[in-house]
Amino acid sequence: MLGILGGMGPMATVDFMGKIVRNTPASCDQDHIQMVVCSATDVPDRTAAILGHGADPFPAMLNALRRLELSGATRIAIPCNTAHHWYGALQAETSVPIIHIVDAVTEALAQRRTSPTLGVLATDGTVHAGIYQQRLAERGYACVVPAATAQAEVMRAIRLVKAGLNEEAAGILGREAEALAARGCSHIAMACTEIPLALAALDSDVGAALLDPTDLLAQACVRSFLAAPQEMVREVA
Amino acid sequence: MLGILGGMGPMATVDFMGKIVRNTPASCDQDHIQMVVCSATDVPDRTAAILGHGADPFPAMLNALRRLELSGATRIAIPCNTAHHWYGALQAETSVPIIHIVDAVTEALAQRRTSPTLGVLATDGTVHAGIYQQRLAERGYACVVPAATAQAEVMRAIRLVKAGLNEEAAGILGREAEALAARGCSHIAMACTEIPLALAALDSDVGAALLDPTDLLAQACVRSFLAAPQEMVREVA
C-alpha cells in the first residue's frame, strides 16, 4: 500500500493522487494501487523554516509518517519538493522506504541517450536547501539554478500562480526557463507544484525539455508497486 | 480531521478531495481541513454485490473504517453513492459520525423555496438498493427513478463514460433527465460519479436543476468542520 505524506499543499496532493491513478494500468477499481493519505495541513511552511524564520515542520511531518506506518504503508511518497529537505531525518525514523522525488527525476534522466544538464525552477526554500543540487551531484548529473535576481523572479511567478495570475507567471517562467537553456540546460525540472500550472499555458518552446517531478514521482511509485505486486496488498494491522 | 473512506473508484476519491479543497475558505495550506484518506481499492464491486452476484464488500470497507478511526478521523465521508447501501452497518461499528451523501442532498433541497421532487440517475445497484428512495421518503421528499428500460439506458451511459465515450453518454443521459423532468422532477441528482462527467458536456436545458451529490457532500463536510473548528485539529493518538 502506498502511503502519501501530503497536504503540502492540499491541492498538490490531490493532483499527485490523480497522477498515480492515471499512470496505473487498470481496467477496474480493484486493479488500482491501494493508498493511505495524510493531508497534513498542520505542517508549518517549509520555505519559511529553511530560510530561518518559521516554525520547525519536522514534528508534524513525523506525526503524519507514524500514521502512514500504522495504516500499513509499504512505500511512502511526499508530493512536495521543499519538504524533501527533511527526507533524511524522516527516512531515519522508519523502515518503510520513502521514494525521493529527485531520484524519480534522475531515473527519467538516465533514460536519455545524451548526458543531460538539469536546470531547476523551484521555491527559494528548495534552492536554498540545495535539495536538487546535492542529490543530482551525488548521482553524477550537472545542475544549474537561477542566479539571485532570476530566482527572485521565479519566486514572484510562484506567488502569481498562487494568486491565479497564471498568464503573467507564464511569461516570467518562460523567460527564466530560456535563460537556463541558454546556460546549457538540456532539461528543466519544474520543481514546485505551482510551476507546471503556468508553464503548461505557454505555447513557445523554451529551448529545453520540461520535466514535471511530481508526475515522475507518481510514475516511480507505480513502477515500484508493479515490480513488487505483493506490496500493493493491504497489510492487516 | 476528515476521514475519507475512498477508492470506490480511486478517481472519484481524487475528485472528491479536490471538491473539499475548493469548497474550503483558505488563504494558505494551514487553513485547510486535515484529511486522512483510505483509497481502499480492494473493496469488491458494490453493484454486483447488491444484485446478488458478487463478493461482500463490507469486510474490506470495515477494515478501511478502522484505519480511519486509528488515524484520528472525527468525521467520515464516503464518496461513492452505491457504497451507502452499507451506511447503517458501518455507522453501527463506529462512534465517529459518517456524513450520509443523501443527507447532503436533502440539506441542499431544504434551501429551495418550493417543495422539490427529486429524480435520481444512478447505477442499478444504487437504484435497486433504494438508497435515495428510502432516505428521501424518511425526510418527506418525493423521489422518482427511471422505469426499467430507461434505467438500462442510464446504466449503458455510465459504462460509456467509463469507456471515455462521454458525448454518446451525454445524449442518453440528457434524454433520461428530460424524461424525469417530464414526470414532475424539479431537481435531478447525478447520483453516480460518472454522470456529471458526461452531463456537464451537454449544452441544452433538461428542464430540471441538476445536483451533484459528491459536491454537496464535500460542502456538507466543510460546513461541519467550520461549525466545529476544534475537530479540524489532528487528535494525537
Side-chain angles (χ1 to χ4, degrees), chain A residues 26-114:
Chain A
S27 61
C28 63
D29 293 354
Q30 292 75 22
D31 287 344
H32 280 276
I33 295 167
Q34 288 183 46
M35 295 189 265
V36 56
V37 185
C38 273
S39 188
T41 52
D42 60 332
V43 177
D45 188 86
R46 283 69 60 195
T47 285
I50 289 170
L51 300 181
H53 51 76
D56 181 7
F58 184 69
M61 290 171 74
L62 183 58
N63 193 330
L65 179 71
R66 291 278 176 258
R67 284 158 194 274
L68 297 176
E69 281 184 310
L70 271 174
S71 294
T74 57
R75 297 270 195 291
I76 288 172
I78 309 174
C80 170
N81 288 277
T82 315
H84 280 74
H85 182 54
W86 291 270
Y87 174 87
L90 288 165
Q91 185 64 85
E93 292 279 351
T94 179
S95 60
V96 180
I98 305 176
I99 303 176
H100 197 296
I101 195 165
V102 179
D103 293 351
V105 173
T106 58
E107 279 175 35
L109 292 176
Q111 306 292 318
R112 321 283 160 166
R113 265 167 294 178
T114 57

Side-chain angles (χ1 to χ4, degrees), chain B residues 46-47 50 80-86 123-126 129 131 191-192:
Chain B
R46 284 68 61 194
T47 285
I50 289 170
C80 170
N81 288 278
T82 314
H84 280 73
H85 181 54
W86 290 271
T123 62
D124 288 350
T126 298
I131 293 166
C192 167

Side-chain angles (χ1 to χ4, degrees), chain A residues 72-164:
Chain A
T74 57
R75 297 270 195 291
I76 288 172
I78 309 174
C80 170
N81 288 277
T82 315
H84 280 74
H85 182 54
W86 291 270
Y87 174 87
L90 288 165
Q91 185 64 85
E93 292 279 351
T94 179
S95 60
V96 180
I98 305 176
I99 303 176
H100 197 296
I101 195 165
V102 179
D103 293 351
V105 173
T106 58
E107 279 175 35
L109 292 176
Q111 306 292 318
R112 321 283 160 166
R113 265 167 294 178
T114 57
S115 173
T117 295
L118 188 71
V120 177
L121 295 173
T123 61
D124 288 348
T126 299
V127 171
H128 191 265
I131 293 166
Y132 276 74
Q133 299 95 309
Q134 287 170 19
R135 206 156 181 105
L136 285 162
E138 285 166 20
R139 281 154 183 70
Y141 290 103
C143 173
V144 177
V145 298
T149 50
Q151 177 59 36
E153 283 290 280
V154 173
M155 200 66 209
R156 185 163 75 88
I158 291 169
R159 291 200 192 95
L160 285 168
V161 176
K162 285 181 192 280

